[in-house]
Amino acid sequence: MMLRALLLCLAMLAAAPLRAADLTALAHLDPAASRVADEGAGVAVDLAISKAVPYRAFLMNDPPRLVLDFSEVAFGVSRPAALDRSERVRALAWGPVRAGWSRLVAELDGPYRIDSAEERVGAGGEGEVRIRLVPEDASAFAAATAAGPPEVARWALPKPAVVDTPKRRQTGEAPLVVVIDPGHGGIDPGAEAGALQEADVILGFARELAELLRRSGMTVVMTREEDVFVPLETRISVARAARADVFLSLHADALAEGEATGATVFLLAEEASDGASARLAEWHDRADLLAGVDLSAQDDLVAQVMMDMARTETQPRADRLAAALAAAIREKGGRMHRHPIQQAAFSVLKSPDIPSILLEVGFLSSEADRKRLVDPVWRATMQEAILAALKTWAEADAAEAKLLRQ
C-alpha cells in the first residue's frame, strides 16, 4: 500500500543549559502537574518531569501532529487521555520508541506551527517542557514540512540489510527458522479493552509460543522481546537478517462488536477481503505514522518487477501455510472467524521472498475472545495448533523444494 510521504519540520529550543550529570537519571512524568489543553486559538502542552532532560519538538503531516521526543522519560501507568483536555487534539499517545528515548504524539485537528518551545529548569533540577501551537495556513504548513525529515529524526528507520547470498528454500535438512512478530509495543499499545492491552497480551503469547517451537527443534527469532516500539520496516528487516523460513505476525486487534470473533489468518493482497480487513491494515500502518516513522517510498519499476517475480513463488507457499494453520486450529478445537482466511495490504507481510502471514489469535473487542486470550489452557492449545501447522507445512514445503531442485 503506497503511503504519502510523511514530512517533518524540526523545532528544537531549550531555555537553559543543562549539566551532563543532570541528564543521566531516568526522569518521570508528573501527570497531575501536566496538561494538553486549548489555549486561545491554539494548543498548550505543559509537561512536568522530575528531571530536566534533552528533548525535541517537531511537526509532521498526513495527519497533522506534534511529536515530542525525550531522553529517558518514563510516563508511568497513567493513560494519555488523563492529560488531554483539548478539543483540538484528536488523539494522544506516548511510550518508549527506542532504547533511551520516549515519545509523545498528539494528533491535531488541522495545521499548526510551533509558536514557542522551552524547557524550564527548577532549582531542584526538575523540568517543565512548555510547547505552544498556533493555527497555521494549510499551504504554509505543507510548505514548512515539505523538506522531509532531517537525519536526526530518522533513527527509528531500519538499516539496510546486508545480504550475502539469497536464502534457498528450506528442505528439512536444517531447523526451520521462524520469526515471530508480536504486534505493536511501546508507544503503540494496540487495541485496549479494560485492563488488557494488545501489545502486552500478544507479547506474552509470543514468548510462550517461541519456547514451544524451540523445544520442538525450531530456531526462533522475535522482532521484539519487551514492550518497545518496532517500526514495520524493521520487523521485516529482522526476518531478512535471520534468513527466516517463515514470518508469523501475531495480533489481537479490535473491531466493532459482532464483526470479529475467533482466530483469523491474513495474507498479503493489495485488495482487502472486506472492509474490516482493510481497516485493520490501515490501523497497523497508522501506528507507524503516528509514531513518527516515515513510510514513504519511491517507485522503482525494476525493483517492483523483481519483487513481483519473487512473490509468484512465495505467495503460494504462504497460502498453503495459512490453510495449514486454519486446519490445525480447527482440529485442536479452536474457535475460528466465520471467514478464517482473509487478505489485506498489511505492510508487515510485504517481504517478497519469505512466506509471511498475520494471525489474529483473537479480538479484544470480543468478550468471548478476551476470556480465551487470558486462559492459559486455551493459549497452550492455540500454540500447539500453530506448532502442528508449521510442522505439517514445513514437511510438504521441503518435499516440493527438493522436487524443484531436481
Side-chain angles (χ1 to χ4, degrees):
M1 179 171 57
M2 297 297 294
L3 300 173
R4 288 178 295 172
L6 302 177
L7 305 172
L8 178 108
C9 173
L10 180 66
M12 295 180 61
L13 295 171
L18 303 176
R19 295 174 302 164
D22 293 331
L23 306 180
T24 57
L26 182 69
H28 298 269
L29 177 74
D30 181 358
S34 304
R35 67 167 186 146
V36 177
D38 296 335
E39 186 174 272
V43 178
V45 178
D46 296 319
L47 303 175
I49 51 180
S50 60
K51 181 176 282 290
V53 297
Y55 83 102
R56 63 185 182 190
F58 52 90
L59 294 166
M60 297 187 74
N61 201 359
D62 295 330
R65 57 206 186 277
L66 169 71
V67 180
L68 293 173
D69 284 340
F70 304 90
S71 175
E72 297 187 291
V73 169
F75 291 101
V77 297
S78 297
R79 296 290 179 88
L83 267 68
D84 187 5
R85 306 164 200 163
S86 170
E87 295 294 327
R88 297 167 186 146
V89 173
R90 291 179 173 174
L92 192 67
W94 64 41
V97 72
R98 65 162 292 182
W101 285 88
S102 307
R103 174 167 288 184
L104 181 147
V105 183
E107 183 181 352
L108 307 170
D109 65 352
Y112 291 81
R113 64 179 170 84
I114 298 177
D115 188 55
S116 65
E118 62 175 341
E119 182 173 27
R120 298 179 179 179
V121 183
E126 66 275 11
E128 182 185 17
V129 175
R130 296 168 53 88
I131 310 293
R132 295 296 181 268
L133 304 179
V134 295
E136 179 66 286
D137 177 78
S139 59
F141 178 78
T145 58
E151 188 64 27
V152 293
R154 298 181 68 93
W155 38 252
L157 293 177
K159 295 181 179 179
V162 178
V163 181
D164 296 327
T165 58
K167 176 179 170 62
R168 303 184 72 180
R169 281 181 60 170
Q170 65 92 21
T171 58
E173 298 164 2
L176 193 73
V177 180
V178 181
V179 169
I180 298 177
D181 172 44
H184 308 283
I187 194 173
D188 171 27
E192 298 181 70
L196 296 179
Q197 287 191 337
E198 180 184 1
D200 296 335
V201 171
I202 286 301
L203 181 58
F205 184 93
R207 286 171 173 165
E208 294 165 355
L209 175 62
E211 181 59 27
L212 176 65
L213 299 186
R214 288 178 179 129
R215 290 201 306 267
S216 75
M218 297 180 186
T219 298
V220 179
V221 176
M222 302 263 284
T223 59
R224 67 179 181 98
E225 298 274 3
E226 53 188 338
D227 184 26
V228 295
F229 173 76
V230 181
L232 296 175
E233 292 183 5
T234 301
R235 295 172 191 260
I236 296 174
S237 292
V238 169
R240 294 191 62 82
R243 301 176 74 80
D245 296 309
V246 174
F247 179 87
L248 176 61
S249 189
L250 300 174
H251 289 264
D253 283 294
L255 287 172
E257 186 65 39
E259 188 173 34
T261 184
T264 312
V265 183
F266 283 94
L267 292 160
L268 176 67
E270 291 302 321
E271 296 295 329
S273 301
D274 54 28
S277 300
R279 288 197 298 277
L280 281 177
E282 289 169 2
W283 291 342
H284 284 205
D285 279 352
R286 183 177 175 80
D288 264 37
L289 297 180
L290 294 182
V293 178
D294 184 357
L295 290 180
S296 62
Q298 300 296 323
D299 288 334
D300 185 330
L301 182 58
V302 174
Q304 188 63 51
V305 169
M306 294 297 289
M307 287 191 293
D308 288 345
M309 291 175 63
R311 287 194 183 104
T312 60
E313 177 187 5
T314 305
Q315 196 58 47
R317 299 172 64 205
D319 294 345
R320 291 192 290 270
L321 177 57
L325 261 175
I329 293 172
R330 282 199 181 103
E331 186 176 337
K332 294 288 185 179
R335 173 67 183 272
M336 294 292 294
H337 188 275
R338 64 183 184 276
H339 302 300
I341 300 177
Q342 301 187 45
Q343 297 178 323
F346 289 98
S347 291
V348 77
L349 300 182
K350 291 186 176 180
S351 179
D353 54 351
I354 302 172
S356 304
I357 62 170
L358 186 148
L359 174 63
E360 295 279 358
V361 295
F363 290 88
L364 286 184
S365 48
S366 163
E367 182 179 356
D369 281 1
R370 288 196 298 272
K371 292 179 179 178
R372 286 189 279 263
L373 286 165
V374 298
D375 179 359
V377 175
W378 179 90
R379 289 201 309 270
T381 301
M382 177 65 76
Q383 291 151 6
E384 288 286 352
I386 295 171
L387 171 61
L390 287 171
K391 286 182 173 179
T392 299
W393 174 85
E395 183 177 349
D397 187 67
E400 181 185 73
K402 290 176 180 178
L403 287 175
L404 291 174
R405 290 186 186 182
Q406 294 175 2

